[in-house]
Amino acid sequence: MNLDYAQFLMKPLPVLIVTNGVTPSYAHPGDAGVDLRSSEAIVIPAGERRTVGTGVAIALPDGYVGLVHPRSGLAAKHGITVLNSPGTVDAAYRGEIKVTLLNTDLKSDFAIAVGDRIAQLLVQAVEKISFIQVEKLPESHRGEAGFGSTGIA
């Protein structure tokens, strides 16, 4: 029996979409996120940020969230990152997904053309929480140790 194990395990989540003609897609089988593409030509000056449209609006089912992550190649090769990474697309949001990109390169501007892949969108299930007020939290092995508490080496 020939069975595609990934297809057996993964059922795609149906997501309603309105686009300007370019539907986000996976670059490779097994990728976690779909590529979001720019719907506008724009230049991000060195050391500055710009909010870039994708021409995409979605309706996620309740209980899910869209997370907009940077593309690793843009970050490594050009210093381009998503400023509020990951950006959050709530299930009730119906507007265009826009991505605030930051050019961390202090010398070179970065040009984006229409259709360039600028970020990736991951969709995940969300656990709802309810807070329970207590006087003291239970002990843990880490306690209140925070920033830098595990050192570098």
Side-chain angles (χ1 to χ4, degrees):
M1 173 167 104
N2 285 338
L3 176 65
D4 183 340
Y5 192 60
Q7 285 183 329
F8 179 73
L9 293 176
M10 301 285 296
K11 280 181 106 176
L13 177 72
V15 174
L16 302 177
I17 186 169
V18 173
T19 73
N20 63 356
V22 180
T23 300
S25 61
Y26 294 98
H28 303 284
D31 283 356
V34 294
D35 288 325
L36 293 173
R37 296 177 180 271
S38 176
S39 64
E40 56 189 301
I42 191 168
V43 173
I44 306 174
E48 295 191 21
R49 65 184 176 270
R50 295 289 185 271
T51 300
V52 183
T54 65
V56 171
I58 59 175
L60 292 172
D62 193 32
Y64 288 86
V65 64
L67 300 173
V68 179
H69 289 266
R71 294 193 66 244
S72 58
L74 287 181
K77 295 176 184 174
H78 304 285
I80 302 298
T81 190
V82 175
L83 188 57
N84 60 326
S85 181
T88 300
V89 180
D90 290 310
Y93 178 65
R94 296 296 184 264
E96 179 185 6
I97 297 173
K98 295 187 177 187
V99 182
T100 301
L101 295 175
L102 172 65
N103 182 357
T104 65
D105 190 309
L106 299 179
K107 296 178 184 170
S108 300
D109 297 348
F110 185 75
I112 297 172
V114 173
D116 282 356
R117 295 177 297 163
I118 58 169
Q120 52 187 330
L121 175 71
L122 283 75
V123 174
Q124 297 178 340
V126 174
E127 293 288 333
K128 293 291 184 181
I129 62 172
S130 63
F131 290 102
I132 301 169
Q133 185 71 40
V134 296
E135 294 296 320
K136 183 179 177 190
L137 297 175
E139 298 294 325
S140 74
H141 71 279
R142 184 172 176 174
E144 293 183 14
F147 295 104
S149 64
T150 58
I152 294 174

